[in-house]
């Protein structure tokens, strides 16, 4: 079978390897599609070389069909369509307080262990979620990033009729906006890239450029001066941190979706003055996956518009080089059987 390996120095290779039988408690998946995540791009840029054991097969956004079942596995059979929730929480401790998805010794499959960018992938059965027979496997490859969005919206407590401002119109930002709109919120996306603004608008989302429009005044006009009930900080840049406290209304909730690897200045006075709340959100829980599976299966949101390109697995090097040269793109899928 074909598998891809990251070798460092912005280099991937495609290798041939033996198809392995699943061990006890594992299943073997014939991988249909594997999406390229922002984390995968960070790996490509060498930003996670201390964590990723090279050569390593990466990837965690995927869909596929069970090809073989190991001893002791119940509830799954050959032919089942599945996705993987790539969190290995087998080292959970009492001090983790039952929050297994963010336990202290959590291992992320596809980063800390081999991932989905290969034709066949053996994983523990406990990370599986079963799909309905009618689920489109191409769209199902969006379930992992969509689950980030469903988790973010659930953590925010957003309800119908509230106003949500999403700072950042990249793949996760647009998925957050879609889920927020599905909840019944009034959603405004703030994004500086004009092509991404056009993409958001083509998907039925309200999107503005904060370098051309005074975002605070715009939100005030849209909300009868109440500003935002919830702000999702997805951009991960200082201007977003500067504006999030301004655009949030009294007792607004700010969801920190972006990953900030370094300490950044935040206007804490605004938290005091308006009684704001800052809420962290990391990955997802089982219920977020089930919500995402339901949304993808129903397919009533413009998920197809999120897929920018589909490329054969053998083109992996070119795919990552193209992503570097095309910052306007959304989601690229690898067809793992080509």
């Amino acid at each position: 079978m074909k598998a891809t390996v990251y070798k460092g120095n912005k280099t991937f290779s495609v290798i041939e390897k033996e198809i392995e039988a699943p061990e006890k408690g594992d299943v073997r998946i014939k991988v249909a599609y594997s999406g390229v995540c922002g984390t995968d791009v960070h790996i490509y840029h060498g930003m996670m070389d201390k964590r990723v054991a090279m050569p390593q097969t990466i990837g965690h956004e995927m869909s596929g069909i069970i090809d073989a079942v190991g001893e002791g596995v119940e509830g799954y059979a050959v032919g089942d369509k599945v996705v993987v929730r790539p969190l290995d929480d087998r080292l959970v401790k009492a001090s983790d307080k039952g929050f297994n998805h963010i336990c202290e010794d959590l291992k992320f499959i596809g980063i800390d262990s081999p991932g989905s960018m290969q034709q066949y992938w053996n994983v523990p059965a406990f990370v599986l979620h079963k799909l309905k027979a009618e689920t489109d496997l191409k769209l199902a490859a969006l379930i992992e990033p969509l689950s980030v969005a469903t988790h973010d919206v659930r953590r925010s407590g957003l309800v119908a009729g509230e106003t949500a401002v999403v700072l950042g119109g990249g793949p996760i930002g647009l998925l957050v906006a879609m889920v927020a709109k599905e909840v019944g919120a009034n959603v405004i996306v703030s994004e500086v890239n004009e092509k991404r603004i056009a993409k958001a608008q083509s998907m039925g989302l309200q999107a503005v450029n904060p370098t051309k429009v005074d975002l605070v005044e715009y939100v005030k006009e849209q909300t009868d001066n109440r500003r935002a009930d919830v702000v999702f900080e997805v951009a991960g840049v200082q201007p977003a941190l500067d504006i999030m406290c301004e655009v949030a209304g009294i007792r607004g909730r700010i969801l920190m979706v972006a990953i900030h690897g370094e300490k950044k200045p935040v206007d804490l006075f605004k938290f005091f003055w308006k009684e704001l709340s800052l809420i962290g959100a990391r990955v997802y829980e089982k219920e977020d996956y089930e919500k995402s599976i339901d949304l993808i299966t129903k397919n009533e949101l413009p998920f197809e518009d999120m897929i920018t390109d589909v490329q054969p697995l053998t083109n992996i090097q070119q795919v990552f080089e193209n992503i570097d040269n095309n910052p306007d793109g959304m989601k690229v899928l690898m067809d793992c059987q080509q």
Side-chain angles (χ1 to χ4, degrees):
M1 73 167 194
K2 290 182 175 63
T4 66
V5 290
Y6 168 68
K7 301 170 69 175
N9 195 30
K10 291 188 175 182
T11 303
F12 284 93
S13 293
V14 180
I15 63 171
E16 290 286 340
K17 59 183 289 190
E18 293 293 323
I19 299 176
E20 299 177 356
E23 297 181 357
K24 183 178 180 180
D26 289 358
V27 303
R28 185 173 70 216
I29 302 172
K30 183 178 182 180
V31 183
Y33 298 96
S34 184
V36 179
C37 174
T39 302
D40 299 326
V41 177
H42 289 325
I43 292 172
Y44 169 70
H45 285 150
M47 298 169 65
M48 301 179 71
D49 282 359
K50 292 183 179 179
R51 179 174 175 182
V52 177
M54 294 177 277
Q56 178 71 288
T57 299
I58 65 170
H60 56 272
E61 301 179 0
M62 58 74 64
S63 63
I65 299 173
I66 293 179
D67 177 69
V69 177
E71 179 186 348
V73 173
E74 297 181 355
Y76 295 97
V78 172
D80 286 344
K81 290 183 177 180
V82 294
V83 289
V84 165
R85 182 168 43 87
L87 307 180
D88 187 344
D89 60 359
R90 283 178 285 192
L91 298 178
V92 67
K93 305 178 281 201
S95 58
D96 295 314
K97 301 180 181 180
F99 297 109
N100 294 29
H101 71 296
I102 51 173
C103 64
E104 185 177 4
D105 294 320
L106 181 72
K107 301 299 180 185
F108 200 100
I109 301 172
I111 299 175
D112 302 309
S113 60
S116 58
M117 291 186 183
Q118 52 186 323
Q119 290 187 305
Y120 293 88
W121 188 29
N122 291 8
V123 298
F126 67 80
V127 302
L128 296 177
H129 285 258
K130 191 181 296 186
L131 305 176
K132 292 184 177 180
E134 66 268 25
T135 305
D136 184 325
L137 286 176
K138 189 177 292 183
L139 295 183
L142 299 176
I143 286 171
E144 192 274 348
L146 180 59
S147 296
V148 172
T150 55
H151 183 70
D152 295 338
V153 174
R154 182 167 65 88
R155 284 280 289 151
S156 76
L158 184 70
V159 297
E162 290 190 312
T163 295
V165 172
V166 181
L167 302 177
I172 295 297
L174 291 192
L175 288 172
V176 168
M178 290 164 66
V179 175
K181 188 174 179 180
E182 191 268 343
V183 166
N186 305 308
V187 182
I188 300 169
V189 177
S190 172
E191 169 59 48
V192 299
N193 184 307
E194 289 294 339
K195 289 186 178 179
R196 287 186 166 182
I197 291 172
K199 169 66 76 172
Q201 292 172 340
S202 73
M203 296 167 64
L205 296 168
Q206 189 176 5
V208 296
N209 188 332
T211 67
K212 297 181 177 180
V213 173
D214 186 321
L215 183 63
V216 176
E217 289 302 316
Y218 182 86
V219 174
K220 286 168 67 175
E221 290 171 4
Q222 298 292 312
T223 60
D224 193 25
N225 211 38
R226 295 190 305 273
R227 308 193 191 196
D229 300 291
V230 177
V231 180
F232 295 94
E233 202 293 88
V234 196
V237 294
Q238 188 60 50
L241 297 178
D242 294 339
I243 202 70
M244 66 183 187
C245 299
E246 296 288 344
V247 79
I250 289 174
R251 287 201 171 180
R253 291 103 67 196
I254 299 174
L255 253 289
M256 188 52 59
V257 182
I259 300 172
H260 292 270
E262 300 176 349
K263 291 182 179 180
K264 303 284 181 64
V266 175
D267 188 352
L268 294 180
F269 178 79
K270 291 294 193 306
F271 281 87
F272 156 75
W273 196 249
K274 294 193 283 187
E275 292 193 350
L276 301 177
S277 297
L278 180 63
I279 304 169
R282 179 179 162 202
V283 290
Y284 26 65
E285 297 175 82
K286 290 181 179 179
E287 54 263 53
D288 303 310
Y289 249 68
E290 292 302 320
K291 171 69 173 178
S292 297
I293 289 169
D294 182 60
L295 289 174
I296 289 289
T297 302
K298 289 179 178 177
N299 196 21
E300 295 173 350
L301 300 175
F303 294 118
E304 292 92 343
D305 294 341
M306 292 294 299
I307 300 173
T308 304
D309 194 15
V310 180
Q311 289 287 327
L313 190 66
T314 50
N315 282 4
I316 186 168
Q317 182 69 34
Q318 179 185 340
V319 164
F320 277 84
E321 290 175 2
N322 288 347
I323 288 173
D324 264 3
N325 296 325
N326 180 25
D328 308 324
M330 284 295 161
K331 184 58 62 179
V332 178
L333 302 184
M334 311 296 300
D335 184 336
C336 292
Q337 295 305 312
Q338 291 191 35

